[in-house]
Amino acid sequence: MVRKSASQNSEVKPALPEHSIAYFEPVLTEYKKTSFESMKTAIFPSYFHGVSLCLLRLPYTSKPFVGKCQQNGVNPPGCPNPNCPVVCGTSGSMVHFYPKLLSITFEDTSRRLTSLLAPSSSKYKQVEKLVAKAAGSEDYSSLSPLLKDLREIVDQFEDQLEGECGGVDHDSCSWESDMKEFMLTFP
């Protein structure tokens, strides 16, 4: 989505080359570096609890952690359930509550990228410096119109992301059947 926005807007802004996505590399690099931990925290334990523990093994034992449904080391009848109606964080629970999982992942992605694109963000300031350098000046007063245009593009990010993902239901960013199949490969 960032790449699409950058390329669409590069033809409107003559001072920016056609590969304007390169200016956003500081933001994209930081997102890639921090997204896994951010997403893991957003999903576990914020809503689902247990799966990050269920899928990991203690370093000093071969026994996996257990979800919250297990009692005295025994799964309740019907567990593991590939479509579990209990919010516990097992694969079946995540399949059952897939719309909530999708919402969590979208919100975390949007929140992280919006934060990185904030005017006060060090990564956004790096984007501005790259744009200024490409424009042949580091005098911000002469670049004011260009940087204002850049800010207008960035300020549209959240709406563009939601639009790219198919609106509030995020239908275009779901990959539901593939994701459910993948999730069920875990215990």
Side-chain angles (χ1 to χ4, degrees):
M1 201 286 310
V2 174
R3 292 183 199 288
K4 182 178 177 182
S5 177
S7 65
Q8 284 175 341
N9 288 294
S10 65
E11 53 203 53
V12 177
K13 315 299 179 210
L16 296 178
E18 67 180 81
H19 300 292
S20 46
I21 189 61
Y23 303 121
F24 288 92
E25 278 310 309
V27 169
L28 297 173
T29 299
E30 183 66 15
Y31 175 79
K32 289 174 189 173
K33 206 166 47 171
T34 60
S35 63
F36 178 80
E37 284 301 317
S38 178
M39 194 70 68
K40 187 171 80 170
T41 302
I43 297 170
F44 318 106
S46 297
Y47 185 80
F48 294 100
H49 25 276
V51 92
S52 61
L53 301 177
C54 292
L55 299 179
L56 300 174
R57 298 193 181 277
L58 289 167
Y60 50 86
T61 179
S62 63
K63 293 182 180 181
F65 285 99
V66 296
K68 74 173 194 169
C69 296
Q70 206 173 63
Q71 296 176 2
N72 299 325
V74 178
N75 285 332
C79 189
N81 178 348
N83 191 2
C84 182
V86 177
V87 177
C88 64
T90 61
S91 300
S93 176
M94 291 172 42
V95 164
H96 186 82
F97 294 100
Y98 188 78
K100 180 63 178 177
L101 177 63
L102 180 61
S103 175
I104 291 168
T105 58
F106 177 85
E107 292 302 321
D108 186 69
T109 300
S110 179
R111 181 186 57 77
R112 288 288 307 133
L113 286 169
T114 300
S115 172
L116 291 168
L117 291 167
S120 60
S121 160
S122 65
K123 299 305 174 188
Y124 181 73
K125 290 187 184 311
Q126 289 177 17
V127 170
E128 286 185 327
K129 284 181 182 178
L130 290 170
V131 169
K133 185 177 177 184
S137 174
E138 294 195 22
D139 174 19
Y140 278 74
S141 60
S142 68
L143 292 170
S144 183
L146 179 61
L147 296 178
K148 183 180 178 232
D149 289 344
L150 175 65
R151 189 71 240 164
E152 286 176 10
I153 292 166
V154 170
D155 285 343
Q156 298 170 23
F157 169 74
E158 285 183 89
D159 291 338
Q160 289 178 352
L161 180 62
E162 190 159 290
E164 284 294 313
C165 285
V168 294
D169 292 332
H170 313 122
D171 297 344
S172 300
C173 291
S174 174
W175 309 286
E176 186 169 354
S177 61
D178 292 336
M179 283 304 298
K180 285 180 175 181
E181 184 179 326
F182 173 71
M183 287 185 294
L184 290 174
T185 64
F186 294 94

